[in-house]
Amino acid sequence: MYYIKCRKNRKYYEARLVFQPKGRDSQVETYLRKGNLIFQGYKGSGKSLIYNKFCDIGEKLYNLTIIKIKHSESLADIFYNNKITKDDTEGEFCTAAKEASLIKKAENCLLIVDGADAFSGKKLELLKNLARNCKHYILTALDEKAINQTLQKIFKGKSEPQILQLKTYQTSKDLTNYLFIGFIFFIFLIGYFELALLLTAGRIFMRTK
């Protein structure tokens, strides 16, 4: 399980990524630089929780206005969640006017993006413009290399990001299962049938405890 811990250190706030393995009391903390951050990992690794936390603490942590955007949101939700009103668009409230207002608001902001590798169409074009204007960014993605290439180039034009790989309990558990199955199959191939059956029975017994 991953979560973000934020605290005030003298005059400034600092954040740490905390990993607590399932069923254990021990924790592993990673200091987060106050710059560009990319959190990458499989589904269930905690990326959305990290996104939500930075939406809460990003402004005081970076002392910047935040723009937040999720790949699963509609354009209307994105404008609403970033408080784009008629006052911001000089009375015009069409989609183009809202986009222009949000892009202007993104100048020197902290851009927080959930699912940066899953954007497409109009939302991708909007994200590119926001990325060009932002001062810092925090991204979550399955893999940074899966992000749109043009968007990657825009982000790479900023300062070098701190990339953090999020591991899942399920991923490590599945890998262990695959290794065990391969080992049992090998024992069967070389003729140790009784040993293979004994190990399989022991594995099943341990699972039921």
Side-chain angles (χ1 to χ4, degrees):
M1 176 183 173
Y2 287 93
Y3 63 92
I4 301 296
K5 183 164 69 175
C6 179
R7 66 183 181 188
K8 195 169 186 179
N9 185 10
R10 295 181 182 176
K11 295 182 180 179
Y12 306 100
Y13 285 94
E14 63 176 27
R16 296 176 186 271
L17 176 66
V18 181
F19 174 62
Q20 184 168 351
K22 189 173 181 179
R24 298 184 186 177
D25 295 328
S26 58
Q27 295 179 341
V28 179
E29 293 190 10
T30 304
Y31 176 74
L32 300 176
R33 298 200 308 262
K34 200 174 291 186
N36 301 320
L37 303 171
I38 300 178
F39 296 90
Q40 56 184 24
Y42 291 103
K43 184 178 179 181
S45 59
K47 299 191 299 294
S48 293
L49 290 174
I50 288 171
Y51 165 84
N52 290 333
K53 183 63 176 179
F54 274 110
C55 288
D56 291 336
I57 67 172
E59 191 167 345
K60 69 179 180 182
L61 185 63
Y62 283 78
N63 199 25
L64 293 171
T65 299
I66 67 167
I67 299 291
K68 52 188 178 181
I69 178 170
K70 297 178 71 170
H71 73 92
S72 58
E73 292 176 331
S74 66
L75 283 173
D77 288 335
I78 292 168
F79 299 139
Y80 178 80
N81 291 333
N82 287 288
K83 299 180 173 63
I84 300 300
T85 66
K86 284 186 178 180
D87 293 335
D88 300 313
T89 58
E90 298 179 355
E92 295 185 32
F93 216 47
C94 62
T95 299
K98 292 176 186 177
E99 285 186 14
S101 177
L102 185 59
I103 291 166
K104 185 177 180 180
K105 188 177 179 180
E107 292 177 359
N108 294 317
C109 77
L110 169 64
L111 179 62
I112 308 174
V113 185
D114 187 29
D117 54 322
F119 280 78
S120 61
K122 291 183 178 180
K123 289 191 291 185
L124 175 60
E125 296 309 310
L126 174 60
L127 180 56
K128 289 176 184 177
N129 287 318
L130 296 175
R132 290 186 181 100
N133 278 1
C134 76
K135 183 173 183 179
H136 291 298
Y137 60 83
I138 299 173
L139 313 178
T140 72
L142 176 65
D143 190 321
E144 61 160 337
K145 295 178 182 176
I147 297 173
N148 174 272
Q149 289 188 353
T150 303
L151 191 56
Q152 281 190 52
K153 289 178 182 178
I154 296 170
F155 283 129
K156 284 181 179 178
K158 312 286 182 179
S159 58
E160 191 71 20
Q162 181 181 3
I163 300 174
L164 299 113
Q165 181 67 49
L166 306 178
K167 299 176 182 178
T168 63
Y169 171 75
Q170 188 62 42
T171 301
S172 58
K173 185 178 175 182
D174 289 344
L175 180 59
T176 303
N177 288 339
Y178 293 143
L179 290 173
F180 179 77
I181 291 169
F183 178 63
I184 293 298
F185 183 69
F186 173 74
I187 292 174
F188 260 106
L189 283 179
I190 61 176
Y192 290 95
F193 308 114
E194 294 85 357
L195 179 59
L197 290 171
L198 182 63
L199 289 172
T200 303
R203 177 83 168 186
I204 293 170
F205 175 75
M206 292 299 295
R207 283 286 189 88
T208 58
K209 285 188 67 98

